[in-house]
Amino acid sequence: MSTSNHADHAAGAARAASRETTEGTVYTVTGGDWDEIVQSAAKADDERIVVNMGPQHPSTHGVLRLILEIDGETVTEARCGIGYLHTGIEKNLEFRNWTQGTTFVTRMDYLTPFFNEAAYCLAVEKLLGITDQVPDRASIVRVLLMELNRISSHLVCIATGGMELGATTIMIYGFRDREMVLDLYELITGLRMNHAFIRPGGLAQDLPPGAMEKLREFVKTFKKNLPEYDKLATGNPIFKARMQDVGYLDLTGCMALGATGPVLRSAGLPHDLRKSDPYCGYETYEFDVPTTESCDSYGRFLIRLEEMRQSLRIVEQCLERLEPGPVMVADKKIAWPAQLAMGPDGLGNSLDHIRNIMGTSMEALIHHFKLVTEGFRVPAGQAYAAVESPKGELGAHVVSDGGTRPYRVHFRDPSFTNLQAMAAMCEGGQVADVIVAVASIDPVMGGVDR
Amino acid sequence: MSENHEPENGRPLPAPRGSAGEVIGVRTGMFGANDGGDTSGYGGLVRPVVLPGATARPYGSYFDEVADELEGALEEQGLVPENAIEKTVVDRGELTFHIAREHLVRVARTLRDDPALRFELCTGVSGVHFPHDKGRELHAVYHLRSITHGRLIRLEVTAPDADPHVPSLVEVYPTNDWHERETYDFFGLIFDGHPALTRIMMPDDWQGFPQRKDYPLGGIPVEYKGAQIPAPDQRRSYS
């Protein structure tokens, strides 16, 4: 036995040494002391088992890997392995111009695309010093889209969270209603996800004709559908038994671990950036910040339900306020030169604009070419803009060196930070409760790993 | 002098600049084309890249109060504030304290615990790499939020490339655990005192630190409508 181990060691060392090949560096996972670790673990005669949950388990919200040390049915230690969805978006941003950045950041947390875009654009606008010049209509549409997005994100959380408990009806309900929101996105931005609709300075384009009617229709339908979640789940004894006192994290734990969003509010602190550090004119909207004192998964579920109601209130207020007007700053050195229009070959620059730059004005053509290929310059400095995403504080730290590309963009993603609380929520509990606790954090790996 | 900087129409006026700024690099040319003859003359353009420099008081808004309280609290602990706070920058309505790295933990603890400051929430750390800022190549940037007072400030610490060490803030703000691992992973900044500083995004045996400016983006040229489009980091960039 031991001789074969020695042989393995020697072979492993040889493999590790021969990393450089003609095809480039080859990485092999050859540890030094795995055999000893396995042997010592085998010698211990307790019931201790280490289970790898994920990274492809359906209830881990993407590619989250949970490493659980289990004693019988009790989780004694829980750790997260992340990074399976790391796509280098922050690095990629440094090689595109400022406007193209929205196309990347929208893909970070793919369930909250408008929040990513808004945080990034608010930071860029702060750097440009044009925060006050963003037209009212653009801000109202941003708020409108963000609140619709909060609804669709919470719906996914409640739907998948329910499905993980075996409640498939709530999953069907959640995705049915989310589909209505995605239809609105498609109508307004042209895409169901990855919109890149909010741009530095305003919006990519105005609301299309018919959008207001569809939005009003949605508000009406969703108002009718929302109580169904209450009827189905809120008072349901099985649902409550699975969620109450599970995933417990009190206020001290939340503050120490930097947890924000529904996790923090479930510990009783009504902290919401829309109230405490308003942006996009949130201080002028009427809405409440729901909290519970229960510190558990059930409390977070109730908060998400209530937040959807509040979001619907804000959407209604947005619809009342929308007045015709520009959706992009007036500064021609920043604003995208053309409005998009539907042509025979799909969405593109409007024909009027093409006619102008190709037939009438050479200067307009040069301007268009420079702004689209080179982009605008942003004065050197740094800025931090944070928005209250459905998961918590989503912050964008943006650094410019005065060039046409971001020098450095860092996203403080709430999923990433809140996921650190997983160990505190799960250790000492049952294996089955790990699923509930993770679902109540609502991590999205696209945001965690970026 | 100071009444000039009182808020007017509810908006604070920008504070005067104390110094011209911090030069972190030099930009040459205009159109990013370095090969071939320069017919425009713009290729000879040389401009320094200047980040906003130290600001003189008054800072405006709640910034003066925060700075006063912090300096007072540090003095109480027997620390000369000028040694800990290298400079204070107010730019675009944001307050930044540049902290000497050896005093970072003390300053953060003071900011967290002092009742008049009470910055309970740290939103993590963001690394920035300035390869031409000699002796200060690696920056670690922290944003601290006070829920009690509704305030937000920024701390900035630098470390030279040759000695990439910054004290860890995990003992003060446990939330920084993963954030510091991420910054280590991408920038190679070593956070002394972190309980388990390992890579978090990249594989454990990865070589190099991907977010540094000298680390290439990678990518291959692609063909689009008959033309070869180079990889993103090989394309023309407008300096």
Side-chain angles (χ1 to χ4, degrees):
Chain A
M1 182 72 191
S2 71
T3 48
S4 77
N5 274 347
H6 282 297
D8 282 351
H9 273 303
R15 271 200 302 276
S18 63
R19 277 184 159 188
E20 299 300 331
T21 68
T22 50
E23 297 288 311
T25 313
V26 173
Y27 294 98
T28 49
V29 186
T30 49
D33 52 356
W34 274 116
D35 298 320
E36 288 148 50
I37 290 172
V38 171
Q39 274 173 4
S40 67
K43 265 184 211 147
D45 56 349
D46 52 10
E47 295 280 296
R48 201 185 65 154
I49 302 170
V50 178
V51 175
N52 261 305
M53 209 175 97
Q56 272 114 359
H57 192 276
S59 76
T60 55
H61 295 254
V63 281
L64 172 63
R65 176 179 167 212
L66 298 172
I67 305 147
L68 307 174
E69 197 178 286
I70 294 169
D71 188 4
E73 277 289 308
T74 311
V75 178
T76 52
E77 270 196 81
R79 293 290 178 273
C80 285
I82 61 169
Y84 294 92
L85 205 56
H86 176 58
T87 42
I89 287 177
E90 289 176 0
K91 177 89 174 171
N92 266 290
L93 286 172
E94 295 165 15
F95 294 89
R96 318 289 160 125
N97 67 35
W98 291 93
T99 307
Q100 285 173 310
T102 49
T103 316
F104 277 97
V105 299
T106 190
R107 285 159 169 78
M108 286 183 164
D109 183 341
Y110 39 80
L111 293 185
T112 63
F114 291 116
F115 291 94
N116 303 340
E117 295 170 21
Y120 170 78
C121 291
L122 287 172
V124 175
E125 284 158 12
K126 210 184 227 182
L127 276 173
L128 285 165
I130 57 166
T131 309
D132 298 339
Q133 297 167 30
V134 176
D136 283 346
R137 188 175 167 86
S139 285
I140 295 170
V141 174
R142 283 178 180 185
V143 170
L144 176 83
L145 289 170
M146 280 194 277
E147 293 309 321
L148 286 173
N149 203 167
R150 192 181 312 279
I151 291 172
S152 72
S153 172
H154 280 348
L155 281 171
V156 173
C157 175
I158 289 173
T160 56
M163 183 180 66
E164 285 156 17
L165 299 179
T168 46
T169 313
I170 198 164
M171 191 270 280
I172 301 289
Y173 278 23
F175 278 100
R176 172 199 66 188
D177 289 344
R178 174 174 179 261
E179 200 58 28
M180 298 195 304
V181 186
L182 292 192
D183 285 345
L184 290 174
Y185 295 165
E186 191 178 353
L187 175 72
I188 293 169
T189 73
L191 295 162
R192 289 157 57 87
M193 295 175 104
N194 307 335
H195 316 279
F197 186 70
I198 300 175
R199 302 276 176 89
L203 304 171
Q205 57 179 329
D206 204 348
L207 294 181
M212 297 297 278
E213 291 76 54
K214 291 279 185 207
L215 282 162
R216 289 205 182 90
E217 214 171 281
F218 164 77
V219 170
K220 221 166 119 191
T221 320
F222 193 56
K223 261 190 181 163
K224 204 168 86 245
N225 289 356
L226 250 177
E228 289 180 359
Y229 296 90
D230 272 328
K231 281 185 201 151
L232 190 66
T234 305
N236 187 321
I238 304 173
F239 198 71
K240 281 169 84 170
R242 283 301 307 273
M243 295 181 89
Q244 273 177 335
D245 298 325
V246 171
Y248 187 91
L249 191 70
D250 63 7
L251 186 56
T252 318
C254 285
M255 293 312 297
L257 293 170
T260 46
V263 180
L264 178 60
R265 289 192 282 273
S266 75
L269 187 73
H271 172 64
D272 189 317
L273 290 177
R274 292 177 292 173
K275 292 279 190 197
S276 67
D277 192 5
Y279 47 92
C280 293
Y282 264 113
E283 65 275 16
T284 59
Y285 293 88
E286 262 181 53
F287 63 98
D288 301 323
V289 179
T291 57
T292 66
E293 300 281 339
S294 62
C295 310
D296 61 1
S297 302
Y298 185 66
R300 284 163 214 147
F301 164 75
L302 294 182
I303 285 175
R304 291 199 173 96
L305 263 190
E306 183 55 33
E307 282 188 2
M308 289 201 287
R309 265 181 226 117
Q310 298 299 331
S311 291
L312 211 53
R313 268 177 80 188
I314 301 176
V315 168
E316 282 182 306
Q317 293 172 47
C318 289
L319 291 178
E320 280 166 25
R321 284 183 194 195
L322 273 175
E323 302 279 343
V327 292
M328 197 35 129
V329 288
D331 189 345
K332 292 280 183 216
K333 293 287 182 191
I334 293 167
W336 201 249
Q339 281 290 309
L340 296 177
M342 187 61 84
D345 56 347
L347 203 62
N349 291 331
S350 72
L351 271 180
D352 283 343
H353 180 74
I354 301 282
R355 203 170 291 126
N356 183 33
I357 60 172
M358 299 309 285
T360 321
S361 169
M362 185 64 188
E363 286 71 28
L365 177 65
I366 295 170
H367 175 73
H368 179 112
F369 179 75
K370 288 283 282 178
L371 203 57
V372 172
T373 59
E374 181 179 332
F376 51 81
R377 280 166 205 281
V378 173
Q382 57 183 333
Y384 179 81
V387 298
E388 183 73 28
S389 98
K391 281 121 188 164
E393 173 168 351
L394 174 72
H397 174 228
V398 179
V399 184
S400 172
D401 68 343
T404 55
R405 298 167 164 191
Y407 189 76
R408 160 87 170 129
V409 180
H410 174 69
F411 266 66
R412 187 261 187 206
D413 192 274
S415 298
F416 178 78
T417 316
N418 293 356
L419 200 54
Q420 293 185 94
M422 192 278 294
M425 287 182 184
C426 298
E427 285 178 5
Q430 302 274 297
V431 184
D433 292 344
V434 172
I435 318 281
V436 179
V438 171
S440 79
I441 298 174
D442 189 22
V444 171
M445 299 316 285
V448 173
D449 293 344
R450 284 154 285 142
Chain B
M1 183 67 200
S2 69
E3 56 267 29
N4 290 345
H5 305 289
E6 288 299 305
E8 197 178 302
N9 308 329
R11 278 184 58 204
L13 292 172
R17 291 278 155 76
S19 73
E22 186 193 341
V23 180
I24 50 134
V26 173
R27 182 175 286 130
T28 57
M30 184 96 189
F31 303 111
N34 300 318
D35 48 345
D38 172 31
T39 53
S40 69
Y42 280 106
L45 208 61
V46 178
R47 283 164 301 165
V49 178
V50 185
L51 290 182
T55 312
R57 282 178 182 262
Y59 303 137
S61 188
Y62 55 81
F63 302 155
D64 290 290
E65 202 185 325
V66 172
D68 289 342
E69 293 290 347
L70 178 61
E71 284 171 14
L74 290 177
E75 267 170 17
E76 269 174 36
Q77 299 173 39
L79 205 67
V80 182
E82 286 74 31
N83 291 348
I85 305 169
E86 290 171 341
K87 64 175 172 178
T88 309
V89 180
V90 176
D91 182 48
R92 296 174 170 95
E94 293 180 340
L95 176 66
T96 310
F97 292 116
H98 289 252
I99 306 292
R101 56 178 168 168
E102 58 271 24
H103 297 299
L104 175 66
V105 178
R106 174 88 68 95
V107 170
R109 192 182 294 281
T110 308
L111 285 168
R112 186 193 69 178
D113 292 344
D114 193 290
L117 297 165
R118 211 57 104 206
F119 287 89
E120 308 97 338
L121 190 68
C122 180
T123 66
V125 53
S126 161
V128 191
H129 185 212
F130 294 105
H132 302 297
D133 195 5
K134 289 288 169 234
R136 300 156 46 84
E137 284 91 350
L138 295 162
H139 292 223
V141 184
Y142 305 83
H143 293 92
L144 305 181
R145 190 179 282 287
S146 166
I147 294 177
T148 308
H149 302 292
R151 292 168 176 171
L152 181 76
I153 60 165
R154 177 187 295 130
L155 302 183
E156 195 162 338
V157 190
T158 66
D161 215 355
D163 178 32
H165 289 264
V166 168
S168 168
L169 279 188
V170 172
E171 56 171 305
V172 184
Y173 295 111
T175 175
N176 272 19
D177 182 355
W178 284 15
H179 290 276
E180 287 180 2
R181 282 177 64 190
E182 187 188 339
T183 308
Y184 160 72
D185 195 353
F186 288 150
F187 290 90
L189 259 176
I190 297 164
F191 292 90
D192 297 319
H194 187 285
L197 196 66
T198 53
R199 288 195 181 267
I200 187 164
M201 293 295 173
M202 308 303 286
D204 288 344
D205 55 355
W206 195 261
Q207 291 167 349
F209 300 106
Q211 286 269 21
R212 289 195 180 197
K213 286 289 172 185
D214 50 8
Y215 191 101
L217 179 67
I220 54 165
V222 289
E223 195 177 310
Y224 181 68
K225 294 195 174 176
Q228 282 280 322
I229 312 296
D233 58 350
Q234 304 299 317
R235 289 177 205 161
R236 163 176 293 192
S237 69
Y238 295 84
S239 52

